[in-house]
């Protein structure tokens, strides 16, 4: 049995990187045979979000985003992390087997601290909780963006430490990255990895003036349109590649590489990007607005998902309790 599982933090509004690196794969995978678990990692978001009203809003938005983008809660178990407290119990058992050195090597922790996020114990411990999230459901495949690959490798290590000490309790998962490389790490408006917590994100549902403003921030330089340029060095092309058909993308690249009269300037390329985003997400934007009108139904969907998830997590926790002598 293949069991897919992944999560997204409600640490901000979901962005194009979350969509192409994660949500899109989750929705596609949920059509495949097997079990599917997708969750809103609200415990994790507490590492960076300190405003309770904002956090509640982000959780609601993540829920609505998944459903608007096509996740079918009848096919996939969709739930909130905090509705399954057993993950915290599993995290503790894993943490007691995990060396400090493993966590000290985590890129994500170092990146966040470098971005001036407070280095709390929670932020440091994040990979242990994430390992518990994955192991609690006997997941075999974890579809994530490239930035999370290391955390899944760490999960495999943690499962290994526990299993070596106590016997085969946890199922060892494998990470799965989006098929095409340009979906694996989507750049933000400053050219670094797009992240909710780095102020460089383009919200999936941004539209109108704010969308133009966000796209306007993509770094360019003062070279004239006529000057030939290498399109593969331009952030705007990395983003265009997410949306345009291969032949259209190749045409744009060709004109930029050749330069001369009639070659598009940065403004022109950015306008094409705005139009492509508008077109791609038009249906989802409309569905999001409808879903936001019925918060009670949203809550019912999440609670139904949690019931299924919790039953599985409880069984795994009980297995671990028994193995390590807590029962
Ligand atoms: P935060 O800044 O709070 O860590 P984030 O934007 O990195 O937020 P996460 O919730 O950590 O988002 O990650 C959710 C999923 O989105 C993960 O599978 C992650 O790999 C993927 N993801 C995040 N950013 C990108 C990106 N720029 N390109 C591709 N995938 C991404
Ligand atoms: Mg992240």
């Amino acid at each position: 049995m293949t069991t897919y599982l992944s999560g997204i933090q409600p640490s901000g509004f979901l962005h194009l990187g979350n969509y192409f690196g994660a949500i899109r794969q989750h929705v596609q995978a949920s059509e495949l045979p097997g079990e599917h678990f997708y969750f809103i990692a609200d415990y994790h978001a507490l590492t960076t979000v300190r405003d309770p009203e904002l956090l509640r809003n982000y959780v609601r938005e993540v829920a609505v985003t998944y459903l608007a983008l096509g996740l079918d809660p009848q096919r996939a178990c969709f739930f909130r992390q905090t509705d399954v407290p057993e993950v915290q119990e599993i995290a503790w058992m894993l943490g007691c087997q995990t060396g400090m050195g493993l966590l000290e090597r985590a890129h994500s922790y170092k990146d966040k601290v470098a971005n001036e996020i407070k280095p709390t114990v929670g932020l440091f411990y994040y990979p242990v909780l994430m390992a518990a999230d994955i192991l609690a459901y006997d997941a075999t495949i974890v579809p994530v963006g490239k930035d999370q690959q290391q955390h899944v490798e760490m999960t495999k290590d943690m499962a290994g430490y526990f299993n070596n000490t106590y016997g085969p309790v946890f199922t060892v998962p494998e990470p799965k990255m989006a098929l095409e490389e340009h979906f694996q790490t989507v750049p933000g408006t400053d050219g670094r990895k797009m992240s909710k917590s780095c102020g460089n994100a383009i919200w999936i549902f941004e539209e109108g003036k704010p969308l133009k403003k966000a796209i306007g921030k993509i770094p360019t330089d003062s070279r004239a349109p006529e000057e030939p340029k290498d399109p593969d060095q331009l952030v705007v092309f990395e983003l265009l590649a997410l949306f345009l058909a291969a032949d259209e993308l190749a045409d744009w690249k060709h004109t930029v590489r050749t330069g001369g009269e009639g070659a598009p300037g940065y403004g022109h390329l950015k306008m094409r990007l705005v139009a492509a985003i508008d077109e791609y997400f038009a249906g989802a934007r409309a569905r999001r607005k409808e879903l936001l009108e019925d918060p009670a139904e949203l809550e019912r969907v999440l609670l139904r998902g949690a019931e299924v998830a919790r039953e599985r997590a409880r069984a795994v926790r009980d297995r671990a309790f028994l193995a390590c002598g807590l029962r």
Side-chain angles (χ1 to χ4, degrees), residues 39-285:
F39 69 95
I40 305 169
D42 49 352
Y43 273 134
H44 282 290
L46 218 49
T47 59
T48 53
V49 185
R50 300 268 134 70
D51 176 333
E53 215 28 70
L54 207 55
L55 182 54
R56 274 188 278 271
N57 187 25
Y58 288 157
V59 170
R60 186 167 50 237
E61 279 291 341
V62 174
V64 164
T65 300
Y66 261 93
L67 301 175
L69 290 167
L71 189 78
D72 176 357
Q74 307 286 345
R75 292 192 67 93
C77 174
F78 183 50
F79 60 100
R80 242 179 332 230
Q81 185 185 29
T82 44
D83 283 328
V84 187
E86 286 77 9
V87 294
Q88 294 289 5
E89 300 173 289
I90 295 172
W92 182 256
M93 290 185 270
L94 293 171
C96 291
Q97 296 298 318
T98 303
M100 293 286 286
L102 185 79
L103 299 189
E104 279 160 0
R105 286 193 291 277
H107 305 308
S108 160
Y109 176 77
K110 286 188 244 178
D111 290 350
K112 287 197 169 164
V113 173
N115 273 309
E116 289 175 14
I117 288 173
K118 193 174 166 192
T120 58
V121 175
L123 192 67
F124 186 70
Y125 183 75
Y126 175 122
V128 181
L129 183 56
M130 177 162 162
D133 287 325
I134 295 170
L135 301 174
Y137 307 97
D138 289 322
T140 55
I141 295 190
V142 187
V144 285
K146 201 170 181 182
D147 60 316
Q148 289 290 346
Q149 183 179 10
Q150 189 197 27
H151 286 159
V152 183
E153 296 299 337
M154 290 165 84
T155 300
K156 292 166 67 174
D157 291 340
M158 288 183 231
Y161 304 145
F162 193 96
N163 289 351
N164 280 340
T165 310
Y166 297 116
V169 169
F170 293 116
T171 304
V172 181
E174 284 300 329
K176 179 174 171 285
M177 253 66 65
L179 284 180
E180 287 134 296
E181 212 179 314
H182 59 277
F183 294 146
Q184 293 175 10
T185 307
V186 172
T189 53
D190 57 0
R192 296 178 306 159
K193 181 194 98 84
M194 189 178 284
S195 289
K196 292 184 227 97
S197 53
C198 293
N200 64 356
I202 301 169
W203 181 35
I204 296 169
F205 297 114
E206 199 72 274
E207 52 183 317
K209 252 195 195 156
L211 177 61
K212 292 202 182 89
K213 200 170 155 203
I215 301 297
K217 282 202 264 174
I218 297 169
T220 52
D221 53 57
S222 56
R223 285 178 293 173
E226 298 77 35
E227 198 174 320
K229 301 173 195 75
D230 178 0
D232 297 329
Q233 299 293 320
L234 300 175
V235 176
V236 68
F237 268 101
E238 287 183 66
L239 293 168
L240 280 168
L242 305 171
F243 296 96
L244 300 190
D247 48 348
E248 189 189 341
L249 185 69
D251 284 349
W252 284 102
K253 283 191 175 184
H254 177 73
T255 49
V256 165
R257 206 174 272 123
T258 317
E261 209 179 320
Y266 294 122
H268 197 154
L269 294 166
K270 287 181 175 182
M271 263 164 53
R272 180 66 192 99
L273 180 58
V274 169
I277 294 174
D278 279 340
E279 196 181 323
Y280 194 96
F281 292 115
R285 281 177 188 166

Side-chain angles (χ1 to χ4, degrees), residues 291-302:
L291 287 158
L292 281 172
E293 280 169 17
D294 194 352
E297 174 56 18
L298 200 62
E299 188 62 23
R300 276 193 292 276
V301 167
L302 292 175

